[in-house]
Amino acid sequence: MNRSFVSSILHLVRFAGAALAIWGIAYVINGATQAGGYVTVRVATAPDAGPSPLSGVRLPDGVVLRGELPLGVWGATVAEQVLSRADVLLGGLCAGLAALLLSSTMKGRPFTRRDTAGLVALAIVTSLGSLLPIVAAATVLDRAGLTQDFVPSTTLSWVPLAGAGLLLTLALAFHAGARTDPRSSALTP
């Protein structure tokens, strides 16, 4: 492979990882500075809620509010703001760490078992991060006294799950590469 092409890919991986890590941190810091203001969480109507859990809204007979909707609640705590954005934080940090790991292997360091284990661990953390907005929604609903009318949305964000899938694919590639690389004596078949 052309040395300049590999160098360009290496710089692109580093830049993307750094940008995603900085974005994740900045997004959460921005949320933390909005404590006391609105926090937006994804909720669904409770199964046993009345015809319209929205105050001041009278729906016609036979019309029921169902499904998910964003709910903005005033008076957010710092923890609520951070939890509502934690999936972006963990996804960005994991992307940054994965970029560091990939850049070190692209420089010619042989694949090792630690590379594969590190990518799998990052995939797990990224996946679990997609659950934190659900925790934020439960906290916000409890604080606001809306647990009778709404429940936290259980729809997971696709971005962390797609990132976890990519990391697991890379882990499989690293594992296969480590098994075929004669410099990698740390792995057993």
Side-chain angles (χ1 to χ4, degrees), residues 18-47:
L20 288 170
I22 290 169
W23 168 251
I25 293 168
Y27 185 64
V28 170
I29 289 173
N30 176 266
T33 63
Q34 296 178 31
Y38 281 102
V39 61
T40 302
V41 292
R42 299 280 311 161
V43 298
T45 55

Side-chain angles (χ1 to χ4, degrees), residues 117-144:
L119 287 172
V120 169
L122 290 174
I124 290 169
V125 169
T126 301
S127 297
L128 292 177
S130 65
L131 298 174
L132 294 175
I134 297 171
V135 174
T139 305
V140 168
L141 291 173
D142 187 51
R143 178 182 57 81

